[in-house]
Amino acid sequence: MSKRVAEIVIDTLQQAGVRRCYGIVGDTLNHVTDAMHRSDIEWVHVRHEEVAAFAAGADSLVSGQLTACAGSCGPGGLHFINGIFESNRNRAPMVLIASQIITSELGMEFPQEVDFKAVYGSCTVFCEQVHSPEQARRVVALACQAAISRRGVAVVILPADISEAEVKHDVPFSVHYAQPVLRPSDDELQRIAELLGQGKRIGIYAGAGCQGAHAQLLELARRLQAPVAHTSRAKDFVEPDNPYNMGMTGIFGIESGFHTLMECDTLLLLGADFAWGQFYPDKATIIQVDRDGSHLGRRHPVNLGVVGDIAPTLDALLPMLPPREDSTFLDECITHRDKALQKREQEEQPGEGELIHPQHLTALLSKHASDDALFTADGGSPMVWVLRHIRVNGRRRTLTSLLHGTMANAMPQALGLQKAFPGRQVISLSGDGGLAMLLGDLLTAVQENLPIKVVVFNNGSLNFVELEQKVEGLLDNYTDLQNPDFGRLAEVIGFHGRTVTRSEDLEEAVLDFLAQRGPALLDVHTSRAELVMPPQIEAKQVAGTALYAAKAVLNGRFDDVKHLLVDNFLKK
């Protein structure tokens, strides 16, 4: 019995575990969407393809399920690109069906012709075109296999004429979910144990590779009496119920995390690929464990690098490590942590009148959100606030653009998470610039009946860029945003909308906002002058900010300097 290629594509995706496909229909995709309509795969109709890729990637990353997105030829397919970069860097397994013009017109500069293989080859784990109807199942199965096993985005380029063609003899290629156990050799484990045995001030730096290894990590820290710092992406997997946790290092971190790494004499990197080399110790013995051998020693020189997943590696390593009695370094780091957390609590205190600190807003969201809430945050200052001020507990998850560093990711990712987890609270911490960039897809929340909660950190500026300019001693230029009342705008779209401009109204507004049954948006006018303070302030940063202040005064912008001082130091 013959079968249309479009049906074979959808059948293969469905057998591989795809349950949701995000996208926008178009002429070259019509046979695919017709086949999907008759399948068990749910089509999620977005307003912009970039949103589809963001949403599908978030869905896949947190749910662990293979997801898909699909779009029409030319411009439609190109619109996915930023979300594809984001999802691939997050190692989210998903498949993009990029429909193409008919094969007889390829290479002829036909209207809407785009070489998708050239476009997507650098940001995916698989990118191939279906050249004949008989190839269809095989290519789609290989794409799904690559997305699952290599953890990334796979692209299938499907010309329109092939999608409507029929296949008489369909070879039953299928997708396999392999679950290997990956750990270092016994000799390598013994070498790790020997190096740890020589250390006096041992620190652990835990990355996102520690997902699923929480119990082993705590036992390791207990046995070594070692403080644990973690990367930003490891927050959800390391922070909960962890008495050895010292927090993050790097510009987003706190002083105790920075102290742990800078003052240790032996550092064990576990699934951590933190990119900034200046935050690694120069004189410590460094041991690195990573499932990807190409990551070993690429950020900073290491003394020993081994390949392995963290949970099975620690299961094999722990019996080789005798318990340590000396807790001097751990106690020292705990003292630094207690002081750093006290300072953080001070940052979360309410302002007065029209001064609303973004840290206070984030702390209120953390306090009143559900215990299993899912948080997304836009690149820029909302990303910093969610990492610093949202408390996680092993059930909550946080997601922001830490590897790709894009704007406008939070609301689209919230859409995907709400689709994947319809019974959970999903909260987007959106910047005013980021939300405005993809504002139209608030309509998707209404059309798809997704009760996402969107908080707008409305400071009237591209705030993180503005702060970067000031720290470099530059006047802030071209960062102003003329915003609408986002609360009223949301009401027109079909959201529950509200705008808050005074600090004393904030907590009640947050409670009301979170209690809404449908989609809701809270527009909060936060302080524009709020500084993102790193854990260790360098002299050049102080000098740069002072130079900005001097330039601002000389240019008649004294009020800007006054707000910088008052909002950050005098009204805390």
Side-chain angles (χ1 to χ4, degrees):
M1 180 179 176
S2 62
K3 208 170 189 180
R4 199 182 292 273
V5 165
E7 295 172 331
I8 291 172
V9 169
I10 298 305
D11 183 57
T12 309
L13 290 175
Q14 189 166 305
Q15 287 184 20
V18 173
R19 295 293 175 265
R20 289 170 293 278
C21 182
Y22 299 77
I24 299 178
V25 298
D27 54 351
T28 54
L29 192 67
N30 285 343
H31 285 281
V32 174
T33 50
D34 179 69
M36 190 176 299
H37 181 70
R38 290 179 277 109
S39 76
D40 293 330
I41 297 177
E42 181 182 6
W43 177 263
V44 185
H45 182 185
V46 301
R47 300 305 175 100
H48 193 292
E49 289 91 349
E50 181 179 353
V51 170
F54 276 135
D59 177 337
S60 169
L61 184 67
V62 179
S63 73
Q65 295 179 337
L66 183 67
T67 59
C69 46
S72 58
C73 64
L78 284 176
H79 279 163
F80 287 101
I81 186 69
N82 195 45
I84 294 297
F85 259 101
E86 167 76 12
S87 301
N88 196 58
R89 284 180 162 172
N90 283 344
R91 297 174 59 83
M94 59 182 267
V95 177
L96 166 64
I97 304 300
S99 66
Q100 181 60 285
I101 63 171
I102 59 174
T103 53
S104 61
E105 296 294 346
L106 286 172
M108 303 296 167
E109 295 188 357
F110 194 77
Q112 295 193 317
E113 180 181 359
V114 169
D115 185 350
F116 285 133
K117 194 163 184 178
V119 170
Y120 285 114
S122 67
C123 59
T124 56
V125 297
F126 179 97
C127 184
E128 293 295 340
Q129 179 171 317
V130 180
H131 290 281
S132 70
E134 290 73 23
Q135 275 190 330
R137 187 178 295 275
R138 187 178 184 183
V139 172
V140 176
L142 287 173
C144 294
Q145 194 72 65
I148 293 162
S149 60
R150 298 178 63 189
R151 295 195 63 82
V153 178
V155 176
V156 174
I157 303 165
L158 183 64
D161 56 322
I162 291 181
S163 73
E164 63 178 305
E166 293 192 348
V167 176
K168 291 184 178 179
H169 303 290
D170 183 24
V171 181
F173 289 96
S174 59
V175 178
H176 306 276
Y177 280 79
Q179 295 181 310
V181 176
L182 185 64
R183 72 165 181 83
S185 69
D186 291 343
D187 288 344
E188 289 173 320
L189 291 169
Q190 189 60 49
R191 182 60 180 148
I192 294 173
E194 290 171 359
L195 290 175
L196 291 174
Q198 296 166 13
K200 304 298 182 185
R201 296 164 65 86
I202 300 174
I204 299 170
Y205 194 25
C210 289
Q211 182 176 5
H214 188 267
Q216 293 93 330
L217 179 64
L218 262 61
E219 175 58 22
L220 177 70
R222 185 194 68 79
R223 194 163 297 194
L224 296 176
Q225 291 295 291
V228 180
H230 64 82
T231 64
S232 306
R233 295 179 67 233
K235 173 184 173 72
D236 298 350
F237 318 125
V238 176
E239 191 175 296
D241 300 321
N242 184 353
Y244 305 97
N245 178 43
M246 300 299 143
M248 299 179 296
T249 184
I251 192 171
F252 302 157
I254 63 174
E255 197 275 336
S256 52
F258 180 81
H259 182 86
T260 296
L261 265 63
M262 294 298 106
E263 299 301 325
C264 66
D265 66 14
T266 305
L267 181 63
L268 180 58
L269 300 178
L270 297 176
D273 188 42
F274 186 69
W276 283 266
Q278 66 268 35
F279 290 98
Y280 291 84
D282 288 328
K283 297 181 180 179
T285 298
I286 301 181
I287 306 156
Q288 184 176 7
V289 183
D290 200 290
R291 77 176 331 269
D292 188 339
S294 68
H295 290 181
L296 299 177
R298 75 168 177 169
R299 305 303 188 185
H300 190 281
V302 301
N303 299 85
L304 176 63
V306 299
V307 172
D309 287 322
I310 302 307
T313 297
L314 294 186
D315 283 337
L317 177 64
L318 282 166
M320 300 180 180
L321 301 175
R324 291 168 59 97
E325 300 297 332
D326 184 4
S327 64
T328 303
F329 184 51
L330 175 61
D331 295 339
E332 175 187 315
C333 290
I334 288 174
T335 300
H336 281 264
R337 180 190 66 189
D338 292 344
K339 291 180 180 178
L341 292 179
Q342 288 175 6
K343 182 178 179 181
R344 180 150 296 177
E345 288 180 4
Q346 292 174 355
E347 295 172 356
E348 295 175 350
Q349 296 305 305
E352 299 176 359
E354 294 183 354
L355 175 59
I356 299 177
H357 296 301
Q359 301 96 318
H360 177 52
L361 168 58
T362 313
L364 287 175
L365 292 169
S366 181
K367 176 182 176 182
H368 296 299
S370 60
D371 287 342
D372 64 348
L374 303 164
F375 298 88
T376 63
D378 270 338
S381 50
M383 170 175 64
V384 181
W385 308 137
V386 78
L387 291 170
R388 288 183 176 179
H389 302 285
I390 294 295
R391 274 63 168 177
V392 292
N393 53 16
R395 299 177 65 203
R396 288 178 169 181
R397 289 293 303 272
T398 58
L399 178 59
T400 186
S401 182
L402 288 160
L403 297 179
H404 190 42
T406 185
M407 289 177 64
N409 58 288
M411 182 270 291
Q413 288 175 331
L415 294 172
L417 292 179
Q418 194 72 81
K419 264 296 179 186
F421 302 97
R424 291 173 68 174
Q425 194 175 60
V426 181
I427 304 169
S428 169
L429 282 68
S430 298
D432 44 1
L435 183 67
M437 188 175 285
L438 291 172
L439 189 65
D441 265 277
L442 288 176
L443 295 167
T444 298
V446 177
Q447 180 163 325
E448 295 288 332
N449 194 28
L450 299 173
I452 61 170
K453 305 295 180 282
V454 179
V455 185
V456 185
F457 286 67
N458 187 348
N459 46 42
S461 70
L462 299 173
N463 192 240
F464 205 73
V465 177
E466 186 171 274
L467 294 174
E468 289 171 334
Q469 292 173 347
K470 291 175 181 178
V471 169
E472 291 182 29
L474 303 172
L475 288 174
D476 46 305
N477 292 311
Y478 314 124
T479 58
D480 291 350
L481 296 175
Q482 184 172 331
N483 290 325
D485 184 328
F486 287 108
R488 292 178 62 193
L489 183 63
E491 288 184 333
V492 172
I493 291 173
F495 274 59
H496 168 85
R498 182 168 176 177
T499 298
V500 178
T501 60
R502 296 188 64 81
S503 183
E504 57 264 31
D505 300 328
L506 186 59
E507 185 160 18
E508 183 274 328
V510 167
L511 285 165
D512 176 62
F513 158 77
L514 293 175
Q516 297 300 317
R517 295 180 64 85
L521 184 145
L522 185 64
D523 179 5
V524 183
H525 288 220
T526 56
S527 169
R528 179 171 180 167
E530 201 77 34
L531 290 174
V532 177
M533 305 293 281
Q536 189 75 10
I537 300 175
E538 299 178 3
K540 65 180 181 181
Q541 294 170 326
V542 176
T545 305
L547 180 59
Y548 153 75
K551 288 181 178 179
V553 170
L554 290 173
N555 279 269
R557 293 165 59 175
F558 178 76
D559 283 349
D560 292 354
V561 178
K562 182 181 74 172
H563 284 302
L564 183 71
L565 296 172
V566 170
D567 291 4
N568 287 282
F569 304 109
L570 300 182
K571 287 191 176 181
K572 288 279 187 180

